[in-house]
Amino acid sequence: MGRKVGVIAVVLVALVGVLAVYLYNRVTVLDHEAVTDSVSVIYGAGGNVAVLRTQSGAVVVDTMTFPIQGRRILVLAERLGGGPTQAVINTHYHADHTHGNPAWPLGTRIVATERTRAYLERFDSAFWEGLTAGAAPNDLFTDRHDLRIGDKTVRSHYLGRGHTGGDLVVLFVEDRVLHTGDLFFNRRYPNIDLEAGGSVQQWAETLERVLALDFDRVIPGHGPVTDRAGLLEFQRFIAELAEFASESAAAEMSLEETLAAANLEHDGAFEELSVPFLFKFDRDFVIRRAWEEASGVVQPVELEAPAASGNL
Ligand SMILES: [Zn+2]
C-alpha cells in the first residue's frame, strides 16, 4: 500500500513538472522573422514586438507580458538591432505590451503618449509601484514624437481613439514599416477598452489617419505581419461594427436583440483570441462592447488632469 502511494506521488510530481515546463515554454519561447533588412518582428505570448536595427543599436516597440519575456527580448533585440537598446516605445498601457519593461536598465528612454502613462497609473498601478516604477514610460508626448537614432528615423503618432484612448502608432520612416499596436488586430477580434477611452465609433476614422501615413508593411498588435490591404480589411470590419451598433442603439434595441440581429460580413476570416478564465475576444464580445458604447451604457473613466500638463 505504502509503495503504491509512493508511486502515485512520484507520477503526480512528474506530471506537475511536465505541466510547469510546458507553461514556462509557452510563455517564454519567442519566434522572430525579418520584415525588412532593418526591421524584425518578435512573436510570443503577448503583443507583437518590433525591433529596428540602427547604426547605434536597437529600438524596441512593446515588451510583451512578463518581465522574464522582457529579459529574453532584451537579449534578442541586441542581436537583431545591432547593439544595446537605445529606446523602447510602448504603443499603449496594456500588460501584454508593457510588463516586459522592467528588464531594461533603469534610465532607458521609454516613449509613450501622456494618456498611456495616465491609464497605466489609473488601471495598472499595482504593477507600476515600487521596483518597477522606474520602468514606466518616461518620454511622453501628445501628438507626435520623432527620434533620430544612428541612421534611422522613428516617428510616433497619436491619431485618435480606438482600442484605448492613448494608442500610438510607430513609423520606421526609411523602412516604410508601421507598427500599429492594438489599433489593428490582424484577422482577429479586437479587445475594446472603453473604460480607458477606447471607441468603436471613432476607430475607423483613426485608422483613416493611420492609412494616410507613408508605409508598405504593417506589424499589427496581434496576428501576422501584413500590408495596407490587410489594415483596410480590418478598418472595413470596424466601420461595419460601428454602424450596426449605432443603428441598434438608435432603435433602442437591447443587448440580446442586438446580438441576435447582428449580421456582420467582414469578419469571415477572423479568429477568436482567448485565455481560459481571463478573457475571450470573439464576435459576441465586440458586438457587446460596440453596443455598450453606442447606447451609452459604458463611459470612459475620467482621468485626473496631471499637474504638469492640461491636455488630458
Ligand atoms: Zn491592448
Side-chain angles (χ1 to χ4, degrees):
M1 185 73 182
R3 203 171 145 192
K4 217 173 192 179
V5 170
V7 169
I8 290 170
V10 167
V11 168
L12 276 178
V13 167
L15 279 178
V16 168
V18 167
L19 185 66
V21 169
Y22 169 78
L23 288 175
Y24 180 82
N25 284 334
R26 186 76 207 275
V27 163
T28 55
V29 166
L30 303 172
D31 290 325
H32 64 91
E33 68 182 37
V35 182
T36 66
D37 286 347
S38 311
V39 177
S40 302
V41 60
I42 304 176
Y43 299 112
N48 293 336
V49 171
V51 178
L52 173 70
R53 190 174 70 236
T54 82
Q55 288 168 344
S56 308
V59 176
V60 177
V61 181
D62 286 345
T63 62
M64 287 193 196
T65 318
F66 302 102
I68 189 172
Q69 288 177 302
R71 290 196 284 279
R72 294 197 170 193
I73 293 165
L74 171 81
V75 172
L76 187 55
E78 182 162 346
R79 181 152 67 78
L80 298 172
T85 302
Q86 300 303 302
V88 171
I89 300 173
N90 288 140
T91 57
H92 64 295
Y93 84 97
H94 286 155
D96 59 329
H97 298 255
T98 57
H99 279 198
N101 282 15
W104 275 264
L106 218 57
T108 299
R109 180 202 289 265
I110 303 178
V111 179
T113 64
E114 292 187 355
R115 283 177 177 275
T116 283
R117 170 88 197 202
Y119 292 135
L120 187 141
E121 286 167 4
R122 175 69 178 73
F123 295 106
D124 197 17
S125 60
F127 182 82
W128 296 102
E129 277 165 9
L131 284 177
T132 52
N138 52 31
D139 185 357
L140 307 178
F141 72 97
T142 308
D143 298 318
R144 178 175 149 173
H145 181 286
D146 281 326
L147 272 177
R148 179 78 192 168
I149 296 189
D151 50 334
K152 298 290 188 182
T153 313
V154 180
R155 189 162 291 154
S156 301
H157 293 271
Y158 172 75
L159 294 172
R161 295 166 62 193
H163 170 67
T164 73
D167 301 76
L168 61 78
V169 297
V170 185
L171 181 62
F172 300 127
V173 174
E174 292 79 6
D175 292 84
R176 303 178 58 82
V177 175
L178 186 77
H179 191 314
T180 60
D182 283 359
L183 280 172
F184 175 28
F185 283 58
N186 188 14
R187 298 200 166 192
R188 282 157 175 74
Y189 291 101
N191 182 13
I192 303 163
D193 192 343
L194 298 177
E195 290 75 9
S199 171
V200 176
Q201 294 299 320
Q202 295 184 30
W203 197 328
E205 275 178 43
T206 299
L207 291 178
E208 201 58 42
R209 291 187 280 273
V210 173
L211 283 158
L213 300 174
D214 215 8
F215 61 89
D216 300 320
R217 305 289 288 161
V218 184
I219 301 174
H222 297 269
V225 170
T226 182
D227 52 16
R228 300 180 70 92
L231 179 53
L232 264 168
E233 206 176 282
F234 182 74
Q235 186 198 29
R236 271 197 289 272
F237 172 70
I238 289 291
E240 176 185 44
L241 179 65
E243 192 184 338
F244 171 71
S246 40
E247 283 169 8
S248 116
E252 296 183 359
M253 286 163 67
S254 69
L255 175 58
E256 289 66 30
E257 289 165 342
T258 303
L259 286 168
N263 186 25
L264 304 173
E265 288 175 358
H266 289 101
D267 58 347
F270 279 26
E271 290 172 21
E272 297 176 3
L273 197 64
S274 68
V275 170
F277 307 111
L278 285 180
F279 62 81
K280 186 175 189 189
F281 306 139
D282 59 4
R283 180 184 259 224
D284 282 3
F285 171 84
V286 298
I287 293 168
R288 175 170 64 79
R289 296 257 80 183
W291 176 86
E292 285 171 344
E293 180 190 14
S295 56
V297 172
V298 175
Q299 307 280 351
V301 167
E302 296 263 344
L303 293 173
E304 285 175 37
S309 89
N311 50 21
L312 290 178

